Amino acid sequence: MNKVDDNPSRAERAHATRELILTAAERLFAEHGVLAVSNRQVSEAAGQGNNTAVGYHFGTKADLVRAIARKHLAQIEERRQEVLARIGDSTDVRDWLSCLVRPVTDHLAEVGSPTWFARFGAQVMTDPTLRPIIVDETQSSPSMVRVLAGLETCLRHLPDDVRAERFDMSRQLLVHMIAERERALADNTPTPRASWHDAATGLVDALVGMWLAPVTNDS
């Protein structure tokens, strides 16, 4: 009778260590900012005695940030693809904005409190050297390419500069309102909405109002 080997393989141990580092880094980056946290602090928070563990498993801090983003965005991508399958070729701007918002809030609801990804994203988006990582990873996903194209189709009546401006406004609202709710939940302080689902509804309502707002011509 062959003896079952209960010892994890080297690959399994490496994977477990990577997951510990990702979780610790995401939390520390979310709470303190990326630049304020050293690799040594991440290693210690992940329970790694070797202070070079972060560099060994991920390389640079930018590589670590990208790995955290990809871990979550892969799951959000799956949710967004499901929503896209339901709305088809809708010409309703609310459908496309819901597809922008709800996969993120549904993901955070499933992860369960406390979460750190929204605050992590807000911290990275305010760092000019790291911001392109999140932007590139998000906008290059197949689902986001289709969402942005769907919004463009619904909003062709708007001047190009107004569309560009409102896309920037949408990004700010999406990133920082979701991060604000996550922060409130972590701090156990009151939130305007009772659930992530309701918070998404309020955010979509605000985005629809912004996109459909009249355009003032000052010339």
Side-chain angles (χ1 to χ4, degrees), residues 39-41 43-44 48-55:
N39 285 356
R40 179 189 181 94
Q41 290 171 309
S43 293
E44 290 175 351
Q48 303 303 303
N50 187 346
N51 292 328
T52 64
V54 173

Side-chain angles (χ1 to χ4, degrees), residues 19-48 51 54 61 64-65 68 72 114-124 126-127 130 182-183 186:
E19 289 299 309
L20 288 171
I21 292 171
L22 285 175
T23 300
E26 183 181 335
R27 175 177 61 82
L28 291 174
F29 292 164
E31 293 176 344
H32 305 290
V34 180
L35 295 182
V37 177
S38 67
N39 285 356
R40 179 189 181 94
Q41 290 171 309
V42 173
S43 293
E44 290 175 351
Q48 303 303 303
N51 292 328
V54 173
K61 184 173 284 187
L64 178 57
V65 166
I68 295 169
H72 289 276
T115 59
W116 295 280
F117 182 60
R119 286 170 290 166
F120 160 81
Q123 294 279 14
V124 173
T126 58
D127 186 310
L130 297 173
E182 184 184 73
R183 183 178 296 107

Side-chain angles (χ1 to χ4, degrees), residues 181 191-195 198-199 201-203 205:
R181 174 177 170 79
T191 58
R193 304 275 182 156
S195 66
D198 292 346
T201 299
L203 182 52
D205 285 345

Side-chain angles (χ1 to χ4, degrees), residues 46-84:
Q48 303 303 303
N50 187 346
N51 292 328
T52 64
V54 173
Y56 175 80
H57 286 280
F58 293 98
T60 67
K61 184 173 284 187
D63 294 327
L64 178 57
V65 166
R66 190 180 299 277
I68 295 169
R70 284 181 172 175
K71 176 182 176 181
H72 289 276
L73 292 176
Q75 298 174 52
I76 293 170
E77 173 74 7
E78 291 182 10
R79 291 181 177 276
R80 189 169 282 123
Q81 290 287 3
E82 293 172 359
V83 179
L84 284 170

Side-chain angles (χ1 to χ4, degrees), residues 13 23 65 77 109 131 146 159 164 167 169 173 197 215:
R13 292 196 302 272
T23 300
V65 166
E77 173 74 7
R131 182 176 181 272
R146 188 174 166 195
F167 270 122
M169 292 178 181
L173 279 174
H197 180 273
V215 178

Side-chain angles (χ1 to χ4, degrees), residues 169-219:
M169 292 178 181
S170 296
R171 184 185 301 112
Q172 292 294 323
L173 279 174
L174 181 63
V175 169
H176 294 289
M177 289 304 297
I178 292 177
E180 191 61 32
R181 174 177 170 79
E182 184 184 73
R183 183 178 296 107
L185 291 175
D187 294 341
N188 198 29
T189 56
T191 58
R193 304 275 182 156
S195 66
W196 277 113
H197 180 273
D198 292 346
T201 299
L203 182 52
V204 171
D205 285 345
L207 289 169
V208 169
M210 183 189 72
W211 276 106
L212 300 183
V215 178
T216 300
N217 187 350
D218 289 329
S219 58

